[in-house]
Amino acid sequence: MNAAAVATARPHAAAPAHACWHCGERLDPAATRYADIAGVRRPFCCPGCSAAAEWIDRLGLGAYYRLRDQPAARAAEPSAAPSPWARPELARHVVRTREDGRSEVCVLVDGMRCSACVWLIERAVGALPGVAAVQVNAAARRARIEWDATRTPLPALLDTLTRAGYGARPLDAQALDDARRDESHAAQKRLLVAGLGAMQAMMYAVALYIGAFDGMDAVTRDFFRWLGFLVATPVVLYAAQPFFAGAWRTLRARRLGMDVPVALAIALIYAASLVEALRGGAEVYFDSVSMFVFFLLAGRYLEMRARHRAGDVTDALARLAPACADRVRTDGALERVGAIELVPGDRVHVAEGAAVPADGVLESDACRVDEALLTGESEPVAKRRGDALVAGSVVVEGPARVAVERVGADTVLAGIVALTARAQAARPRLAAAGERAAARFVARVLALTALTALLWSLVDPARAFTASLAVLVVSCPCAFALAVPAAITRALAVLAGRGVLVVRPDAVEALAAATHVVFDKTGTLTDPALALDRIDARAGLAPDAALALAAALARGSRHPVAQAIAAAAATLPLRQAEDAVARAGLGLEGVVDGRRLRLGRPDFALAGAAEAALDARADAVVLADASGALATLHFAERPRADAGAAVAALRAQGLTVEILSGDAPAKVEALAATLGITRWHARQRPQDKLARLEALRRGGARVVMVGDGVNDAPVLAGADVAVSLGHGAELAQATSAIVLSGEHLDALPAARRLAQQTLRVLRQNQRWATAYNFAVVPVAALGFVPPWLAAIGMSASSLLVILNALRIGRRRDAHAREAIA
């Protein structure tokens, strides 16, 4: 910026101004700066605003100033200090590396005021090298950005937001609290002004009504009218500002939103009252307009509270990760550090009652953790040495020593937050359809208002204004427009609280209408961990004794076979192995009760070919000593503990259940018989599975495909609803529409019941809104409803929609009706 462009001299004579061109704040003549924007000299209140405007102009995005419907927030002054985002320990807590190699960050953006801000952010950030996608949610003030970090570093990306006049904050608990507090305070201030204005206006109106019967003189009458004007003016110009801004925004976009009739009604009532007061007319409506705005704001405030409450579960996830951690130093002492300072390989001590600061592996013998918000599991989960612990889980029985494996944005907790944030940013098909219907409804409302005014002007002109106003107010489609978002938002929050993460909101509708559920077998219907099937003991050794010896060697190993042996021996007396050594790809070796034992592949355990050939089987592990084999341990897949109940519940809901597996027919048939599934297909390649799904869909079926989320990704893409079981690091990489984060299959039938309830409530809301308008519009058109009563009725109908949506998920165990009303 040079002296020719910016100065503190007097403004250009041809461009007088009293407000900052960027933020609209009143100018201080002593500190006013000037800059040439698009060839025109513009005044600015501070260096921050002038720098932001010049930056926007250089990017070729000057149309922002034409599109916006309110001034921008005051921009911060440019800083030469190094960006904190350049610190790797901070960046890794907000940046996630996607499966395709791209980076992803979700930040809160301060200063967003209108749709033009969304337009500016998307284009300014999208113009940077390597940026693939920018998704901005103006209501939540969040931006999700996907980009190539090797071409544009994170500080440069966020510096673009700062230069454009916005502030970016990491999506953490503090940022969430700040955003909610700011929104609540703004709504409370407007509601307070409207409430005080309505009370005062009603007091003056009562005096006018009484005076009309007691013969009040004209001077006193005008005095009370102008008092009503004084208290109604801040209500209209300040408290009602969101309605005017919303109406202007939709009209500039050539759409009709629900704010259009509201803003029109407020403006007409206020203007007509002012005209009547100036000419000494018969009626003024300052009390009506004040009450109208108050009731509208009260309804929207309750809507905001309901929206915040619906997001409590999602935002609570962001608060789970603790700010500090007790890191174990090399000398064994503990040091208190920030959780953002942890790196993979660190060891942390988690006290009883504290939260785990990062994903890792338990090094203590055992503990119990509460994972309720993460997985929906209501009971504490027992963990043993070598088990995985996830960030945000609370140690209820401890303490615990944890080896850190993943931190920041790579944790399971961060993956859940990212998935839910992605779902909240998306617009469901039902919501888009509801907005289009509301726009058509508004057009009909305006036409009906005009018709009412025309007919009354022919019958009784004195009543034309009040009757048409009542029609305009009472038929405002606020309740109709809220029907879909209120129900969907509530459903997403309830499902997230139960460990069901809906990544694509349209999946709620598709899940409710499903007719078939197709399961993959391995890892989906079966437990990912192996199960000990039987023990063939030899040399006079009892099976339990052989298992105890094998478990002594197996404890401490993370191999799936060793973990299966240790789990099977959990109730047996504990034996210790000395000099235990793991032979990669072969097995384990050590001394138990003074006897050297080997556990593993037959050729390794027996150290000879003769007997090894006898016991060599894919599912067999041999325990042997120097004299020969002591036992052969056989392993088999086992169904998940809740698989049978989940399949039965889905069939009880009228769904057809199938298995598509690439495994051998004998294994698939055995599992299907165990779970009561009559339709199954074995030896299925991915293309065979896709062909089967396509055949079902051609026959009119609505198919839900359930897989592991990563290996089954191509097949999941061929279903109407793709459901995956998320676990560990794979959770964040899942590409399905629904993720069962707790790995509990019984969450699926519960999710479908809730999806059906959501559609029922949604349709109830739409029917109520439609019936309400059909019932009250004729009464209002006949002149029996004053404008203030119309405002109460309209606000009450919107509140009823919100309260009805909050019923979703209230009774967790209540079964939905089979048919959707």
Side-chain angles (χ1 to χ4, degrees):
M1 193 178 303
N2 54 47
V6 179
T8 55
R10 294 177 58 83
H12 194 280
H18 304 288
C20 176
W21 171 251
H22 182 73
C23 72
E25 291 191 9
R26 189 171 185 83
L27 295 172
D28 179 358
T32 301
R33 304 170 64 88
Y34 297 90
D36 291 331
I37 306 297
V40 180
R41 195 169 177 80
R42 302 293 187 185
F44 297 94
C45 64
C46 65
C49 285
S50 62
E54 287 188 306
W55 174 255
I56 293 171
D57 186 50
R58 280 199 297 270
L59 291 177
L61 301 176
Y64 160 73
Y65 293 104
R66 176 177 54 83
L67 295 174
R68 66 180 184 175
D69 52 41
Q70 55 182 307
R74 182 168 182 164
E77 295 190 16
S79 174
S83 171
W85 297 100
R87 297 167 55 195
E89 63 271 20
L90 179 60
R92 68 168 175 258
H93 279 262
V94 295
V95 177
R96 169 174 299 281
T97 301
R98 294 164 50 92
E99 193 176 19
D100 56 10
R102 293 177 183 169
S103 296
E104 178 182 2
V105 65
C106 188
V107 295
L108 279 172
V109 182
D110 291 329
M112 274 199 287
R113 299 289 181 85
C114 62
S115 58
C117 295
V118 177
W119 179 89
L120 176 62
I121 291 171
E122 288 178 344
R123 282 157 180 78
V125 177
L128 294 174
V131 174
V134 182
Q135 189 176 46
V136 182
N137 185 334
R141 298 193 301 176
R142 299 182 186 184
R144 189 175 67 86
I145 306 166
E146 297 177 17
W147 87 107
D148 183 354
T150 61
R151 299 181 62 188
T152 299
L154 178 63
L157 186 148
L158 296 177
D159 183 59
T160 300
L161 289 171
T162 303
R163 285 174 176 266
Y166 303 98
R169 292 182 286 174
L171 185 60
D172 59 6
Q174 182 63 42
L176 291 167
D177 289 337
D178 290 347
R180 284 193 173 186
R181 183 175 59 248
D182 293 346
E183 184 182 12
S184 295
H185 284 178
Q188 288 168 357
K189 285 190 293 185
R190 296 186 190 279
L191 186 60
L192 178 62
V193 170
L196 292 175
M199 286 190 294
Q200 292 296 321
M202 280 302 298
M203 290 175 59
Y204 303 140
V206 169
L208 289 172
Y209 294 150
I210 294 175
F213 294 100
D214 293 343
M216 180 182 292
D217 61 273
V219 174
T220 304
R221 183 200 63 187
D222 291 344
F223 173 73
F224 278 109
R225 284 184 173 182
W226 287 113
L227 285 178
F229 167 78
L230 289 177
V231 297
T233 297
V235 174
V236 172
L237 299 184
Y238 170 71
Q241 190 270 338
F243 303 113
F244 292 113
W248 180 243
R249 184 163 55 247
T250 56
L251 288 175
R252 291 188 71 167
R254 298 181 179 180
R255 292 185 291 107
L256 289 175
M258 64 180 179
D259 283 334
V260 172
V262 171
L264 183 60
I266 295 172
L268 287 176
I269 297 173
Y270 182 74
S273 299
L274 180 58
V275 170
E276 288 293 298
L278 288 172
R279 70 183 185 88
E283 293 288 344
V284 293
Y285 308 99
F286 294 122
D287 56 328
S288 295
V289 71
S290 300
M291 290 184 64
F292 181 39
V293 173
F294 172 71
F295 285 123
L296 282 171
L297 289 175
R300 292 209 173 178
Y301 181 75
L302 292 174
E303 174 197 345
M304 180 198 68
R305 292 292 301 271
R307 175 164 43 85
H308 285 180
R309 186 174 179 182
D312 278 346
V313 172
T314 301
D315 294 345
L317 291 170
R319 296 182 174 89
L320 286 179
C324 299
D326 291 326
R327 184 165 58 191
V328 182
R329 297 194 311 205
T330 54
D331 60 0
L334 301 180
E335 60 175 342
R336 194 74 167 172
V337 298
I340 63 174
E341 299 179 51
L342 295 176
V343 296
D346 283 345
R347 284 171 169 75
V348 294
H349 174 86
V350 186
E352 187 172 303
V356 179
D359 288 0
V361 176
L362 180 65
E363 292 188 335
S364 307
D365 289 335
C367 70
R368 292 174 67 85
V369 296
D370 182 358
E371 299 178 343
L373 271 177
L374 292 167
T375 66
E377 178 62 56
S378 59
E379 297 294 329
V381 180
K383 299 287 186 178
R384 302 175 65 85
R385 183 192 299 272
D387 287 347
L389 294 182
V390 295
S393 57
V394 179
V395 177
V396 295
E397 291 182 14
R401 184 70 59 92
V402 181
V404 175
E405 290 190 338
R406 291 181 298 274
V407 297
D410 294 327
T411 62
V412 173
L413 172 62
I416 295 175
V417 173
L419 288 176
T420 51
R422 193 181 308 166
Q424 291 177 342
R427 290 179 71 248
R429 186 193 63 81
L430 284 172
E435 290 176 5
R436 290 193 297 269
R440 293 193 297 268
F441 203 100
V442 169
R444 297 188 185 103
V445 167
L446 295 177
L448 184 60
T449 301
L451 180 62
T452 302
L454 176 62
L455 294 177
W456 273 109
S457 64
L458 298 176
V459 177
D460 186 355
R463 300 181 62 183
F465 182 73
T466 56
S468 57
L469 270 183
V471 171
L472 184 63
V473 172
V474 81
S475 60
C476 176
C478 295
F480 193 87
L482 288 173
V484 174
I488 295 295
T489 301
R490 171 66 181 176
L492 294 180
V494 172
L495 288 171
R498 298 180 183 178
V500 181
L501 306 179
V502 181
V503 183
R504 299 181 180 89
D506 285 335
V508 174
E509 180 186 13
L511 181 61
T515 60
H516 287 64
V517 179
V518 178
F519 286 97
D520 176 52
K521 182 184 76 71
T522 305
T524 303
L525 288 173
T526 61
D527 197 317
L530 292 173
L532 183 61
D533 186 30
R534 72 179 191 276
I535 300 174
D536 295 334
R538 303 183 182 184
L541 195 65
D544 282 352
L547 178 59
L549 292 173
L553 293 174
R555 288 191 179 94
S557 172
R558 298 187 61 193
H559 193 280
V561 172
Q563 290 181 340
I565 294 173
T571 60
L572 299 179
L574 182 63
R575 295 191 181 187
Q576 297 293 336
E578 300 175 358
D579 301 328
V581 179
R583 307 294 184 186
L586 299 174
L588 301 165
E589 181 179 2
V591 178
V592 181
D593 295 340
R595 182 166 50 171
R596 178 162 292 278
L597 301 176
R598 286 187 174 187
L599 176 70
R601 287 172 40 173
D603 54 350
F604 165 73
L606 297 170
E611 202 173 355
L614 234 124
D615 292 302
R617 290 185 50 183
D619 62 347
V621 170
V622 173
L623 174 68
D625 61 7
S627 62
L630 300 177
T632 303
L633 291 79
H634 299 271
F635 298 86
E637 287 183 321
R638 60 183 178 187
R640 289 181 180 268
D642 59 353
V647 169
L650 291 170
R651 294 178 62 186
Q653 293 180 21
L655 295 170
T656 301
V657 180
E658 292 189 18
I659 297 177
L660 293 180
S661 175
D663 214 337
K667 289 187 175 182
V668 179
E669 183 180 17
L671 180 66
T674 301
L675 300 178
I677 300 175
T678 57
R679 298 188 181 189
W680 55 269
H681 302 269
R683 299 292 187 198
Q684 295 286 293
R685 297 170 298 174
Q687 55 267 38
D688 298 327
K689 295 180 180 180
L690 276 174
R692 176 58 182 165
L693 295 183
E694 291 171 0
L696 289 173
R697 296 177 70 184
R698 283 197 302 270
R702 303 292 297 272
V703 182
V704 177
M705 177 70 195
V706 187
D708 65 9
V710 178
N711 298 329
D712 294 325
V715 182
L716 290 172
D720 293 291
V721 185
V723 180
S724 64
L725 277 71
H727 48 85
E730 297 175 355
L731 176 63
Q733 300 173 2
T735 57
S736 56
I738 298 176
V739 180
L740 306 181
S741 65
E743 300 188 63
H744 297 299
L745 284 177
D746 56 2
L748 182 59
R752 185 171 183 269
R753 288 196 298 269
L754 190 133
Q756 291 179 314
Q757 184 190 14
T758 300
L759 288 194
R760 282 203 313 277
V761 169
L762 186 153
R763 291 170 182 172
Q764 287 170 2
N765 286 344
Q766 291 178 326
R767 290 168 183 165
W768 156 254
T770 304
Y772 163 79
N773 279 279
F774 276 118
V776 299
V777 167
V779 180
L782 291 174
F784 296 125
V785 180
W788 63 268
L789 184 58
I792 295 177
M794 188 268 291
S795 300
S797 66
S798 300
L799 180 59
L800 184 62
V801 165
I802 297 295
L803 294 177
N804 193 37
L806 290 177
R807 291 193 309 109
I808 296 174
R810 283 292 186 186
R811 295 182 59 191
R812 182 164 183 167
D813 298 323
H815 290 273
R817 292 191 298 267
E818 295 301 323
I820 298 176

